[in-house]
Amino acid sequence: MSEHLQLTVDGAVATLTIDRPAKRNAMSHAMWSALPGLMERVEHDDAVRVLVVQGGDHFSAGADISEFGTLRNGAEGARAYSEVVHAGERAIAALSKPTIAAVNGFCVGGGCEIALACDFRIAAEDARFGITPAKLGIIYHFTSTKRLVEAVGQAWAKQILFTAELIDAATALRIGLVNEVHPASELAARAKELAAVLAARAQVSVRGAKTVINRITDGLHAEDDHLHAVYEASYTSPEYAEGVQAFLEKRPPRF
C-alpha cells in the first residue's frame, strides 16, 4: 500500500484520502498500484456502504510526470505504466458500493480519471478540471474515455481531450462533469451528508441500480439472466420486507 493513500472507516462510510500535498496529490506509480488492494478492502468490509474519495487543497494534479523518464520510459515502459493506471481506475469503477468524489482545487489528468470512476462528483467552486494527454503524446484509455463521453457527451469530450485545457467548476456543472458545486468551506459537509443519505437507503436497491445502470452503459439493450438474478435477490431480501413493513406502519425504514 502507498503511504500517500489513506483509507479510513467511520461507521458505514469509508474515506480514501489522496495525501501528497507537496506534489498537489500527483499520483505515483506506487499509488496507482495500491488502488486495487484498497478497493478490495472496501468491497469486502460488510460494514462499509459508501466510499468517499477526496484530496486536500487539491484533489489530484494527475499522474506524477517526473516518473515518466524512468518507469514510463520507452514503449514497453509506457505500456506497463498505462496498465497499472488502468487497473487502479477500474478498481474504483468496479466497486459494487456507491462512490463519491469530493473535489477541491486541481482535478487534472489521472485525478480526473479517478473522479470519473466514481458514481458522484461534487466540487468546490474553486475546482478546476482537465484531461491533458494531448500535452504528452498519450492517448486516453478506452474505458476512461467512455466514462467521459457518458458524463459530458461527445462534443465536450472532444473539446476536453483535444484542447487539454482546464475548465472551471461552473462549466463542469453545466456540461454534466460534476453533479453539484458548493463553496469550498461546505464541500466536506456536503460529501458527508450525501454519503449518509446513500448509506441509509436499501443497499439491495442502491447496488442493484448501480448494476443496472452500468449494464446499460456497457451496451446491454434488454434484460438477461444476470439482471433477473439481481431482481430476484431484491424480492427475497430482508430490506424489501422491511421497506414494505415500514411503509404500512407509516415509519421510516430501518435498513
Side-chain angles (χ1 to χ4, degrees):
M1 298 302 171
S2 171
E3 63 179 310
H4 299 300
L5 294 173
Q6 311 301 329
L7 182 64
T8 59
V9 176
D10 182 9
V13 180
T15 301
L16 177 66
T17 302
I18 307 171
D19 184 21
R20 201 185 183 198
K23 288 216 169 188
R24 292 179 175 175
N25 286 343
M27 293 286 294
S28 67
H29 183 276
M31 294 164 73
W32 287 113
S33 298
L35 284 174
L38 290 167
M39 293 305 100
E40 280 288 312
R41 286 168 55 184
V42 174
E43 185 68 47
H44 295 296
D45 187 337
D46 292 338
V48 172
R49 294 185 167 196
V50 183
L51 173 68
V52 176
V53 183
Q54 64 182 15
D57 292 337
H58 300 284
F59 185 77
S60 174
D64 186 351
I65 305 301
S66 68
E67 295 182 333
F68 281 24
T70 53
L71 296 177
R72 209 180 189 279
N73 189 36
E76 188 58 37
R79 190 177 301 111
Y81 196 102
S82 179
E83 286 303 313
V84 169
V85 171
H86 179 56
E89 180 270 338
R90 293 313 302 160
I92 297 172
L95 199 68
S96 70
K97 303 174 183 184
T99 51
I100 303 166
V103 180
N104 278 308
F106 287 122
C107 181
V108 180
C112 206
E113 196 166 5
I114 289 171
L116 278 163
C118 294
D119 299 309
F120 295 83
R121 286 164 294 287
I122 61 175
E125 291 172 338
D126 68 348
R128 296 293 181 270
F129 299 84
I131 304 174
T132 56
K135 291 183 177 181
L136 297 165
I138 295 170
I139 299 175
Y140 206 43
H141 199 282
F142 171 82
T143 54
S144 298
T145 302
K146 180 175 178 290
R147 295 184 74 84
L148 176 65
V149 173
E150 289 165 357
V152 304
Q154 182 185 114
W156 267 103
K158 287 179 178 179
Q159 181 160 337
I160 289 168
L161 290 173
F162 291 10
T163 68
E165 293 177 342
L166 301 188
I167 61 174
D168 60 23
T171 302
L173 179 64
R174 177 168 59 84
I175 67 176
L177 185 60
V178 300
N179 299 75
E180 302 174 5
V181 173
H182 300 277
S185 61
E186 299 174 11
L187 184 67
R190 174 53 183 154
K192 184 176 182 180
E193 176 186 47
L194 180 56
V197 169
L198 297 175
R201 299 299 186 239
Q203 295 305 292
V204 70
S205 299
V206 171
R207 297 181 198 180
K210 182 169 181 173
T211 297
V212 175
I213 292 168
N214 286 346
R215 300 274 284 179
I216 291 169
T217 57
D218 286 342
L220 189 70
H221 294 293
E223 295 174 353
D224 59 8
D225 289 344
H226 179 77
L227 288 188
H228 291 159
V230 170
Y231 302 152
E232 188 63 28
S234 73
Y235 304 151
T236 58
S237 71
E239 289 176 308
Y240 173 67
E242 166 61 12
V244 172
Q245 192 64 31
F247 179 82
L248 294 174
E249 295 175 2
K250 296 181 171 59
R251 60 171 174 81
R254 295 183 290 269
F255 297 125

